[in-house]
Amino acid sequence: MTSDGIPILSTDGITKAFGGIRAVDRCSLAIQPGKITGLIGPNGAGKTTLFNLIAGLYAPDEGTITLRGERIDGRPPFEIVQKGVVKTFQIPREFRNLTVLENLMVAYPGHPGERPLSALIGWKRVWDREEEVRKKALDILSLVELDQLSDANASDLSGGQKKLLELARSLMVDPKVILLDEPLAGVNPTLTGKLLGIIEGLRDRKSTFFMIEHDMDVVMNRCDRVIAMHQGRPIAEGAPEEVRHNELVMEAYLGG
Amino acid sequence: MVEAVGIVADVASFGALVGIFAMLALALNLQWGKTGLFNAGIAAFWGLGAYTASMVVTNPVPTALARPGHWGIDQAAFPAVFGVSTSFTVAIILAAIAAGVLAFFIAIPTMRLRADYFAIATLGFAEIVMNVFVKNLPGITGGVEGIGGVPQPFEFGAEGWKTNLSYFLLVASVVVVLFFLLERLVRSPWGRVLQAVREDEDAAQALGKDTFSLKLQSFVLGAGIMGLSGAFFAFWLRGVSPPPNSFTAADTFAVWVIVIIGGSGNNRGVLAGAFVVPFLEYFSVRAKSWFDLQEPLASQIFYFRLIAIGVVLILLIMWRPQGIFPEPKHVAKRPRWVIGR
Amino acid sequence: MVLQALLNGLVEASVIVLAAMGLSLIYGVKKFPNFAHGDMMTVGAYFALWATSTLRAGIVVGLIASIIFVAILAVVFELLVFSRLEGRGPVAPLIASVGLALILQNALRVAYGTGQLTYGVPLPDSWVSGVTDPLTGQLVWINPLQGVVPLVFAAVVVALITFILQYTKLGKAMRATSDNADLARVTGIDVRLVRYATWALSGALAAAGGVMLGFRVNGIQPLLGSSVLLLVFAAVILGGIGSPYGAMLGALVISIAQNLFFPFAVLTDTPVQFVLIVPFGIMVLVLLLRPQGLAGRPLGFDLPPLRAELRKLAESVSHSWRRLRG
Ligand SMILES: Nc1ncnc2c1ncn2[C@@H]1O[C@H](COP(=O)(O)OP(=O)(O)OP(=O)(O)O)[C@@H](O)[C@H]1O
Ligand SMILES: [Mg+2]
């Protein structure tokens, strides 16, 4: 392996089985901070399951997950988010009956107004914070060009717009590590470029991205590193060009 | 004149019952309407509140040969303020706390279950609490006899209409206060995040929300309000008795009917819906004399009331699941008054 | 005393198993807990009574008539109510079934009052036979009519249902629909028909269970079925929802555990009414630790390992306690 420096996030031999299927199988990998790491692999390779394991939505059957030297496997998802790791869903999971703006605002971490007592009393500082949250949400919405739709019901968005909403919502958390599950699928080409620009901008400000992506152009040109996964485990890792020409990877894609 | 006074007494008593059910429905609307928790154990929280309050406002009664006794507090211990014993305030507060504590312990093992399992589990817990414990602890709860001789806060002796009217006003003002507090709560960021939990719990978790705590808060708060309602019910009835007389699954689902009729998620609608169940109750009691009913219809009318509830439940769930008043578009809104600088 | 408890448990299980299999079938195919199942049992018990007196026939005719009647009734429920709630998740049909329960239970109260009725089948004393427990030397009582009849009947019915589910086309279609309705549909199964058939079978089982329960407790009243509903749910959940075989196992475990409580209660001076805690305690424990039940497959949702789950539980409790205070 050509790892340079201390990884921000690493998994060690994690396994997750559903009934008989070992969706993730003794998987060990490491993510470098401040980089965009692409995750590729044929359908059913276990990429989404790996993300769910890291985000704490599933507990691994075996193995450990480490974030900056700290074990996070088996922690509840909300704690993992609090530690700075957030994940988007491959199939958007918008809050259907909240507006687009509210979808973002609800994602704001540690809102004092989300404690019943302070909400009931109605401290001024709670509602001042609410204003800040609204501003932040509107900023992020204009970044992903959804500001026109801020008052629309989230369920009324198109498929591509929902993908944008997923990304925007995760940005509300100010995450250090962002796990993006096919963030560009279904987003139109002009916006794709813009989104990648945003991602690269955030990366330059020291955010770490781990991104599942099927579009090889994106993976080759935009990712700093690439990990290829097959049958629940990484089979190649390195610079995009290296991985692209790796025999195992070509076999995995051709052989299915 | 006598007749007018009788009508006032009657209407006030009816109104108080409406208010008592309105509290239950507002509470369920928080749990189910906002948070998506299928509480099928309302009767237990209601009942526990009623029993707790009854014990606080009555003297202890030792078990005798003929009657099971119950716990109580020596009423001389409570000073009176403006001629009303402070025991009532204590009773109401303790009733809410008791129900809230029960909810906390029920929630710990059941909160993470799916809606249908949660319904079965809460129904079962309610059954255990009321039918197993409360009914079979003579010496503490009065066993199958329950607790009698529960006073009301304002007693006017022979002038029953004054007693009823003042009690109605008390209940009504509690409902009004509760309504505004709950509206304030659901229109806050807390209400917003509860709705997010209801709509997609996984997504809320993935965004860093502690959904277990949030659901727990909603459940415990709602149950506390149910206990509060139970206290007012015990005063209203001037006593409590265990199932099958009171605190049955039929009561639980009567509250469900109210919320479904009114529109789950809509507190105003639910207040309107709260008239339905007490009306059926009253109608079935009074119909006998109004229509000069003969037996067996006179006694069967109670069962027809429950049949009517069943029919309404099915028709609504089929044709108008959102209720008469659909859920308002949720926006967390800065209230008119805030505290602090 | 323990042997007696085991025997009683076995007999009780034979009644519960009938109800539990019916409930489990509907839970599997329609994906909601039918809260009206207990009252469907009661309807069955009363209908058998009505049929025996109107037709002036024996109880066997009454039983068969009742099975047919409740099966038809169940199909009507699907036709009028539950088929229209398809695709709306478990909550809408659950609420509708509560409404149905209220209607059935109170219609019976209107029609028959709240008093206890019996099938009036004579129970001569000589039918109650004492057998000596080889271990303790105590006499064990077995009443052929109230004990053996339900047991034998249930065994026959269970064998029949097993046969239907295992070997007939209908049974296979039912299992496929229960597993994955969409998949069943694309493989050419008439899912709608399967649903009606499931209701019919569930209704028939409810009626059979209701009549047997009426026998066993020798008293028919409007709360007959709903009073055992929680027990039946416990059996179904214990066995694994949607798994009729699991329901058998669950019924056995629950009933025997419940009957073993009685000697325990006598020894420890616990009020016998507390017995309900036993099945319910088992049910909650199973829901927590093994939501797929003893026999069932995972229900398609993820099941973290037990230890992690318990740790999470403990943590969230202490955490939420802090949150609640803070
Ligand atoms: N909740 C689940 N229950 C059962 N099996 C599952 C579950 N989630 C995933 N699987 C199985 O695990 C394997 C890996 O699935 P996963 O979604 O992780 O693949 P993926 O790499 O994200 O594929 P894609 O590129 O199609 O999104 C698949 O065979 C899938 O069927
Ligand atoms: Mg995937």
Side-chain angles (χ1 to χ4, degrees), chain A residues 47-48 90 181-182 212:
Chain A
K47 305 179 295 293
T48 299
Q90 179 174 0
D181 199 341
E182 301 189 22
I212 299 175

Side-chain angles (χ1 to χ4, degrees), chain C residues 62-76:
Chain C
L63 174 66
I64 293 168
S66 160
I67 285 175
I68 295 169
F69 175 74
V70 182
I72 294 172
L73 199 64
V75 169
V76 173

Side-chain angles (χ1 to χ4, degrees), chain A residues 93 97 102 106 120 124, chain B residues 184 199-200 209 330 339:
Chain A
R93 300 281 288 266
N97 293 315
E102 285 172 325
V106 85
L120 187 63
K124 183 164 178 300
Chain B
R184 200 178 160 97
E199 296 199 352
D200 193 333
K209 302 301 166 189
H330 179 81
I339 295 175

Side-chain angles (χ1 to χ4, degrees), chain B residues 23-47:
Chain B
M23 293 178 207
L24 287 176
L26 285 172
L28 181 62
N29 206 24
L30 177 65
Q31 295 177 336
W32 167 250
K34 267 297 152 198
T35 325
L37 296 167
F38 199 111
N39 180 1
I42 298 170
F45 305 117
W46 200 39

Side-chain angles (χ1 to χ4, degrees), chain A residues 46-171:
Chain A
K47 305 179 295 293
T48 299
T49 309
L50 175 68
F51 273 23
N52 283 338
L53 285 166
I54 296 174
L57 293 180
Y58 300 151
D61 301 339
E62 288 166 28
T64 60
I65 304 168
T66 314
L67 176 74
R68 281 177 296 183
E70 189 189 354
R71 289 266 306 261
I72 58 166
D73 50 282
R75 312 304 306 170
F78 70 88
E79 266 181 38
I80 291 174
V81 177
Q82 281 162 12
K83 291 183 199 299
V85 180
V86 71
K87 158 198 135 87
T88 64
F89 287 93
Q90 179 174 0
I91 301 157
R93 300 281 288 266
E94 76 286 358
F95 302 118
R96 300 175 53 82
N97 293 315
L98 294 181
T99 64
V100 170
L101 181 65
E102 285 172 325
N103 261 272
L104 263 71
M105 291 177 73
V106 85
Y108 182 84
H111 196 316
E114 287 179 5
R115 286 199 295 273
L117 203 61
S118 30
L120 187 63
I121 297 171
W123 302 107
K124 183 164 178 300
R125 62 180 173 79
V126 168
W127 290 98
D128 290 350
R129 180 73 71 89
E130 177 80 354
E131 266 324 296
E132 289 166 29
V133 175
R134 182 188 309 278
K135 284 214 185 68
K136 178 171 180 177
L138 285 170
D139 285 349
I140 292 177
L141 279 180
S142 57
L143 200 66
V144 299
E145 300 186 353
L146 280 178
D147 42 346
Q148 299 296 315
L149 289 165
S150 65
D151 287 329
N153 245 6
S155 56
D156 295 338
L157 296 187
S158 73
Q161 288 168 332
K162 284 178 185 172
K163 287 246 123 163
L164 296 178
L165 181 62
E166 274 283 331
L167 177 67
R169 219 166 50 171
S170 70
L171 294 182

